[in-house]
Amino acid sequence: MGEFDLIARHFQRPARRAVLGVGDDCALIQPSAGQQLAISTDMLVEGRHFLSTVDPARLGHKALAVNLSDLAACGALPLAFTLSLALPQADNTWLEGFSRGLFALADAHGCELIGGDTTQGPLNISITVLGEVPPEQALLRHAAQAGDDLYVSGTVGDARLALEVFRGHLSVGGDVFERARARMELPTPRVELGQALRGVAHAAIDVSDGLLGDLGHVLKRSGVGAQVDTGWLQGSAAVSADLLTLPWTRRLDFALAGGDDYELLFTAPVRERERIHALASDVAVPVTRIGRITAESGLRVLDPQGQPINRRFASFDHFSP
Ligand code: ADP
Ligand code: MG
């Protein structure tokens, strides 16, 4: 099977919303009048972001999910994406699984594959997503204000639980592992929540490298500090029942610095509390208040008794020594 047969067989479908999709030198899309384009790229590298043994359908899902998560964090509506693939070989079974997982998530969000590039090489998947957002309404990292509440969507820490089991650092029951593994391999991008938060939330970011590390980006850009409480780690919508069974320090590490959560971390004025909970329930995604933004710079993590926790939480940094 040649490169063009491979594309035609696995990645070319009739254009839906796009003016022109896969097959020409360029794709053409028509954004809605007056909207801004939101653009984001994420690359997944074998051995770094996923294991060679991962189910290809799950990998197809995740490759797009991590990109949609970036659009979600900006409050953008997904439109289309491109896919650049380096493949060790043209394996039809693998490609069928991969494209099935990819298109299932794409179709769920009306996000259309409009082009890409395909080459032979070590397995590497790079996706660029295009979305649209009304001018001035994108949720950005610089917009946190002192006094804002700090929220996280869904649950955090489960993907790290799975990773630690894979690494042999932790052992848990098979059903616990499968649930955590699904959170790691099949993250749910919070696309509807992100759009619902437009005009209500101040700053937002998606949690990919660990909650505190990603919060740090918001604090730096916004020129503020934060207090993060941990009472919610003793039982709340933001911690799964499985994470709750772990000893306290592990729970702290996984939830606050685990990585691969793809939840939204956002700030909003105190007066919007009711609205936040109402819109979260409209989109059926729990959100939990986990702290607040402070005028004083720096990040303070408090134990459930309100005392400072003075230790480091390592965030995920691909180039850290
Ligand atoms: P060009 O030579 O102009 O770069 P290619 O020969 O690389 O074009 O690709 C042919 C067509 O197939 C283009 O429309 C390109 O966008 C599309 N394409 C290539 N790889 C993929 C892929 N993995 N997924 C979707 N479309 C792809
Ligand atoms: Mg090309």
Side-chain angles (χ1 to χ4, degrees):
M1 181 175 51
E3 175 188 336
F4 302 104
D5 300 329
L6 184 158
I7 296 165
R9 175 158 175 189
H10 296 287
F11 298 112
Q12 191 159 16
R13 303 195 303 179
R16 298 173 181 198
R17 288 165 48 170
V19 178
L20 182 66
V22 170
D24 216 302
D25 292 315
C26 291
L28 299 170
I29 58 170
Q30 180 66 61
S32 312
Q35 301 279 304
Q36 290 181 337
L37 275 182
I39 304 166
S40 183
T41 299
D42 252 315
M43 180 162 69
L44 265 65
V45 176
E46 179 172 358
R48 189 78 219 183
H49 301 97
F50 60 90
L51 307 165
S52 58
T53 51
V54 71
D55 171 46
R58 288 186 168 202
L59 187 58
H61 172 103
K62 185 163 178 176
L64 182 58
V66 302
N67 279 280
L68 290 175
S69 180
D70 286 316
L71 287 184
C74 289
L77 170 76
L79 296 177
F81 67 106
T82 61
L83 168 68
S84 296
L85 265 183
L87 299 168
Q89 70 265 324
D91 174 343
N92 272 322
T93 309
W94 190 92
L95 282 161
E96 261 153 33
F98 178 82
S99 60
R100 183 167 17 93
L102 180 83
F103 282 127
L105 184 65
D107 292 347
H109 291 281
C111 189
E112 186 169 2
L113 178 59
I114 54 167
D117 201 19
T118 306
T119 170
Q120 198 272 333
L123 184 56
N124 187 311
I125 305 157
S126 179
I127 288 182
T128 297
V129 277
L130 306 172
E132 63 182 26
V133 64
E136 312 291 324
Q137 286 204 39
L139 302 171
L140 302 171
R141 297 180 181 188
H142 71 258
Q145 289 180 22
D148 278 359
D149 288 324
L150 179 65
Y151 297 86
V152 71
S153 69
T155 66
V156 284
D158 305 290
R160 184 56 177 265
L161 194 166
L163 181 65
E164 294 303 311
V165 175
F166 271 118
R167 286 174 166 170
H169 298 168
L170 181 69
S171 95
V172 295
D175 49 340
V176 174
F177 174 60
E178 282 311 322
R179 282 193 291 270
R181 181 180 187 169
R183 287 282 289 146
M184 177 171 83
E185 295 178 350
L186 294 169
T188 305
R190 303 302 188 186
V191 174
E192 294 79 13
L193 178 63
Q195 290 169 71
L197 288 170
R198 289 197 311 233
V200 185
H202 280 158
I205 190 169
D206 67 319
V207 182
S208 52
D209 296 330
L211 192 156
L212 295 181
D214 288 322
L215 173 59
H217 299 309
V218 171
L219 301 184
K220 195 168 170 194
R221 284 288 186 91
S222 300
V224 292
Q227 173 189 309
V228 173
D229 305 315
T230 53
W232 56 279
L233 275 166
Q234 294 178 309
S236 72
V239 229
S240 70
D242 294 330
L243 206 77
L244 265 187
T245 65
L246 299 183
W248 179 246
T249 49
R250 268 210 151 117
R251 219 186 299 165
L252 275 181
D253 281 334
F254 291 4
L256 299 183
D260 252 11
D261 298 299
Y262 301 103
E263 293 297 346
L264 295 187
L265 182 67
F266 60 95
T267 82
V270 172
R271 63 168 187 278
E272 300 287 13
R273 277 184 195 173
E274 273 185 36
R275 224 167 128 196
I276 296 279
H277 286 287
L279 68 84
S281 103
D282 285 347
V283 297
V285 178
V287 300
T288 304
R289 194 151 50 83
I290 61 165
R292 61 190 180 83
I293 299 297
T294 59
E296 191 190 339
S297 67
L299 177 57
R300 284 160 299 280
V301 182
L302 302 185
D303 71 17
Q305 288 72 47
Q307 298 304 306
I309 300 177
N310 290 313
R311 67 183 182 86
R312 279 181 54 82
F313 291 88
S315 182
F316 220 90
D317 178 340
H318 290 287
F319 291 101
S320 69

